[in-house]
Amino acid sequence: MTERRVRRRLAVWLVAALVGVFTVVTPAGAATTCTLTFKANYRGDVGSQHRWQVDATLTNTGTTTSTTWQAVIDFPLSSGAVIHQFWNATRPSTNVWGPVGWNGALPKNQRATFGFDIGMPIPNTSPPLPTSSSCTITY
């Protein structure tokens, strides 16, 4: 090999090494901020329950598009409330909600909307809004 080729290869390796040193890597699964809001609409009485539709909106307040999201929502289910159905979300456990295939990737400042049909005992006339909630977005 000529001296010129050796120098050229050495220069390429040096540049590659320097670029690797200055590359910024975002950790996989880094969670940032999001907001979660609710709106309850009375739907009428069915049997011994008041039926409510609760619409939830999760907004990506981060700086880039998400790969997925998760919401943890505590409803007053111990007081006799029953979630009859839900839409635009998955429910891997009682209080945890996640995206369906098409609404997990949220560009910054965009929203995923999902909802629940909840039955509350007749004596309870207040809307079944969450007692607590939180959300995370993963990039």
Side-chain angles (χ1 to χ4, degrees):
M1 230 189 290
T2 67
E3 187 176 334
R4 180 185 243 171
R5 282 188 181 170
V6 171
R7 285 184 189 171
R8 198 176 299 157
R9 285 187 182 178
L10 184 57
V12 168
W13 281 96
L14 182 59
V15 168
L18 287 174
V19 169
V21 170
F22 295 111
T23 301
V24 177
V25 177
T26 303
T32 64
T33 59
C34 54
T35 60
L36 187 58
T37 59
F38 303 92
K39 179 181 174 187
N41 298 305
Y42 179 67
R43 305 305 267 172
D45 292 343
V46 177
S48 63
Q49 293 185 327
H50 293 299
R51 293 297 278 267
W52 295 83
Q53 177 179 321
V54 177
D55 297 312
T57 302
L58 185 141
T59 304
N60 177 359
T61 57
T63 59
T64 188
T65 301
S66 70
T67 57
T68 192
W69 54 265
Q70 180 179 21
V72 178
I73 305 168
D74 293 319
F75 282 99
L77 299 179
S78 62
S79 65
V82 177
I83 296 177
H84 293 283
Q85 63 183 347
F86 56 91
W87 51 90
N88 296 342
T90 59
R91 191 177 182 200
S93 65
T94 302
N95 297 337
V96 178
W97 302 83
V100 290
W102 51 268
N103 69 354
L106 297 175
K108 70 177 186 172
N109 299 320
Q110 295 299 307
R111 302 176 184 104
T113 57
F114 56 102
F116 328 97
D117 178 18
I118 298 179
M120 299 291 287
I122 289 289
N124 187 347
T125 59
S126 60
L129 295 175
T131 54
S132 68
S133 64
S134 65
C135 61
T136 57
I137 288 194
T138 304
Y139 298 98

